[in-house]
Amino acid sequence: MIFITAKFAVLPEHAEDWPEISRSFTEATRAEEGCLWFDWSRSLDDPNEYVLVEAFRDGDAGGAHVSSDHFRAAQAELPPYLASTPKIVSQEVDQDDWNELGELKVD
């Protein structure tokens, strides 16, 4: 799968509204056949930073995502709300879901 984590520095005046601002993009991406997950979290250290954790079945699904109409719309609609260009880590990993963290096993 393609596993991606991205950090979004949102302008302070838009930070509270970011979930609504990004909602249509989020919902459309989650509806993609090859999307395994697309989850936003807010930083505990910086209230203006949102972290996106996403995964796609494979490179073809990732390619379909970045060539979709909703991705192109997000490229035009989201940057005015951002303080800087998002930072990203994108890797292909040899698994298809989350694994358990064995070091913190719950019995």
Side-chain angles (χ1 to χ4, degrees):
M1 76 176 161
I2 306 300
F3 184 82
I4 301 165
T5 303
K7 290 185 174 188
F8 288 71
V10 179
L11 290 167
E13 61 268 27
H14 301 296
E16 288 301 318
D17 298 324
W18 183 253
E20 187 58 37
I21 291 166
S22 61
R23 181 177 308 284
S24 63
F25 177 54
T26 298
E27 290 175 353
T29 301
R30 287 177 176 166
E32 293 175 21
E33 178 194 344
C35 180
L36 301 175
W37 58 81
F38 195 84
D39 298 324
W40 292 98
S41 296
R42 196 170 191 179
S43 171
L44 295 176
D45 297 322
D46 180 353
N48 300 321
E49 181 180 81
Y50 283 82
V51 178
L52 176 60
V53 179
E54 55 187 303
F56 296 91
R57 181 186 59 242
D58 54 27
D60 289 340
H65 170 63
V66 298
S67 63
S68 68
D69 289 341
H70 57 270
F71 188 89
R72 282 192 292 280
Q75 286 179 298
E77 295 167 5
L78 298 182
Y81 299 98
L82 299 175
S84 61
T85 301
K87 306 295 183 198
I88 188 170
V89 175
S90 177
Q91 291 293 312
E92 186 169 345
V93 295
D94 187 25
Q95 62 191 73
D96 59 7
D97 203 353
W98 292 93
N99 292 329
E100 286 189 345
L101 178 60
E103 294 82 359
L104 295 177
K105 180 83 172 150
V106 176
D107 295 319

